[in-house]
């Protein structure tokens, strides 16, 4: 019985000794390893994104998929572009 208690205590000590840097893979607080092994920040907002679908951009029109459309109107609960 003493051996089981000793093994359980050793396992709890080993699991409790893991630090935050180990969890972050050596990058530190607020960072993690990216796809190519670099340290990248956690969260969103890595830079500008492409145009949003259904948004009007002055001088261009409404963006919908692969091109800009000049006009849009409601059609069957959604939008139709022409």
């Amino acid at each position: 019985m003493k051996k089981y208690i000793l093994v359980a205590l050793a396992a709890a000590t080993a699991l409790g000794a893991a630090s935050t840097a180990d969890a972050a893979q050596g990058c530190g607080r607020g960072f993690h390893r990216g796809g190519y092994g670099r340290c990248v920040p956690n969260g969103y907002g890595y830079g500008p994104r492409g145009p949003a679908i259904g948004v009007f951009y002055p001088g261009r029109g409404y963006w919908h998929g692969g091109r800009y459309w000049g006009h849009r109107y409601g059609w069957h609960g959604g939008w139709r572009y022409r």
Side-chain angles (χ1 to χ4, degrees):
M1 185 68 172
K2 289 182 181 180
K3 290 182 182 179
Y4 291 120
I5 294 173
L6 185 61
V7 169
L9 182 62
T13 304
L15 290 175
S19 68
T20 305
D22 294 335
Q25 302 160 347
C27 291
R29 175 174 253 157
F31 290 85
H32 67 279
R33 291 275 178 200
Y36 296 105
R38 295 183 308 158
C39 291
V40 294
N42 293 338
Y44 299 103
Y46 294 126
R49 295 191 174 102
I53 293 176
V55 175
F56 181 78
Y57 293 94
R60 294 183 179 236
Y62 289 97
W63 176 256
H64 186 71
R67 64 174 280 200
Y68 290 95
W69 296 84
H71 303 283
R72 78 175 183 175
Y73 59 94
W75 191 72
H76 291 279
W79 294 104
R80 191 170 228 190
Y81 298 88
R82 60 181 160 122

